[in-house]
Amino acid sequence: MFKKLFKLISLFLISFAYLLLVQNAYAFEFVKSTDNPLPVSYIDGYANQLQTNVFKEGSVYKGVFVVKRAAETYYSLGYFESANGIDWQMKKEILNTGADLSNPSVIKTQTGYLLFISRYDNRVVYRIYSSVCDFDFNCSSSLNPIITPDTNSDSERNGVFAGHPFQQDGRTYIFFGAWGGDGFKIKLAYSDDLTTWVRCPNDKAFLYGSDGPFPYVENNNLYLFTHQSDSSGIKLAKSILPLSCNSVFDDQGYLLVRDKTYDQRHLIFPSVLNDNGGLK
């Protein structure tokens, strides 16, 4: 039996998010850590958080957090670090544009990072954008549109959001959520230059009811961690590599459900990293 350690993000109410440590007992079975909720320290008047994207470089755990000041009616982005993956400290504000920003994810480039975010435009519809950042997370406030909703489709009338990249053989895919008259679902697009993005030809939707996709590869399988839009918990889906527009993801069931005092409202936006051969 090979044991692994996982870390995911839990949302408590709509203004507090905590890192959630869980341990895999067997074949993606999880137990929530007694260390939850994890401590988070802020600067510059920020006090609340929503989603986070956590990764590790060298010995430092890093994260882009969605954060908010009490006096502001919208969410911004901050950069955080941790020496142990448990105690988190805000290091700087990344983007505060006056518009509601959410669902961050990053990939590393030759000049820094490419940051993917969702923006709630005019408080009417969600769109996915990117921002070019240097290695110190100085990020451009000039956002580039990545995925825009199909205004002729009732299936995307509320927008697209929660884009998360996956790189394979020189091509970058992006899993993203779409929300409309038929609820929440996952879709897929791709780019060969990180500038021009193309939806898969059939623009198919899959994993209805899911949101916040996070891809992870192991043993020639591509796993997709998602949270459920009905607040029921975190689920896992599985496909076989290589990824393509024709890939099929099979529902593997729930990994985590709401069963603690700190997660009664929602479990949201999972983030997974491989740390010295174990998963967090």
Side-chain angles (χ1 to χ4, degrees), residues 116-128:
F116 298 88
I117 55 178
S118 305
R119 189 175 73 186
Y120 194 28
D121 289 334
N122 300 317
R123 294 194 157 302
V124 173
V125 66
Y126 291 94
R127 296 183 176 94
I128 301 173

Side-chain angles (χ1 to χ4, degrees), residues 38-113:
L38 304 186
V40 179
S41 300
Y42 304 88
I43 59 173
D44 298 335
Y46 287 100
N48 300 327
Q49 60 177 295
L50 287 175
Q51 309 100 343
T52 79
N53 181 211
V54 174
F55 57 102
K56 188 179 183 183
E57 292 182 342
S59 61
V60 180
Y61 296 88
K62 301 180 178 183
V64 179
F65 287 30
V66 179
V67 292
K68 181 181 179 296
R69 294 188 178 105
E72 295 174 339
T73 59
Y74 55 88
Y75 281 86
S76 303
L77 299 180
Y79 171 65
F80 289 70
E81 289 186 355
S82 173
N84 57 11
I86 296 176
D87 303 284
W88 288 86
Q89 173 66 54
M90 184 176 180
K91 295 297 184 179
K92 67 189 303 180
E93 175 188 274
I94 295 178
L95 287 173
N96 184 323
T97 65
D100 212 37
L101 305 179
S102 61
N103 306 123
S105 60
V106 298
I107 55 174
K108 202 165 188 177
T109 66
Q110 291 183 340
T111 58
Y113 302 91

Side-chain angles (χ1 to χ4, degrees), residues 82-183:
S82 173
N84 57 11
I86 296 176
D87 303 284
W88 288 86
Q89 173 66 54
M90 184 176 180
K91 295 297 184 179
K92 67 189 303 180
E93 175 188 274
I94 295 178
L95 287 173
N96 184 323
T97 65
D100 212 37
L101 305 179
S102 61
N103 306 123
S105 60
V106 298
I107 55 174
K108 202 165 188 177
T109 66
Q110 291 183 340
T111 58
Y113 302 91
L114 189 63
L115 173 64
F116 298 88
I117 55 178
S118 305
R119 189 175 73 186
Y120 194 28
D121 289 334
N122 300 317
R123 294 194 157 302
V124 173
V125 66
Y126 291 94
R127 296 183 176 94
I128 301 173
Y129 296 86
S130 69
S131 171
V132 176
C133 310
D134 64 18
F135 289 111
D136 294 318
F137 274 101
N138 297 306
C139 300
S140 174
S141 60
S142 179
L143 304 182
N144 302 308
I146 297 297
I147 307 292
T148 59
D150 181 355
T151 56
N152 295 318
S153 171
D154 179 66
S155 183
E156 295 186 1
R157 68 186 184 195
N158 298 315
V160 292
F161 41 81
H164 202 291
F166 175 76
Q167 295 181 299
Q168 173 186 273
D169 298 331
R171 170 169 287 183
T172 301
Y173 290 88
I174 188 166
F175 293 93
F176 64 95
W179 180 22
D182 56 351

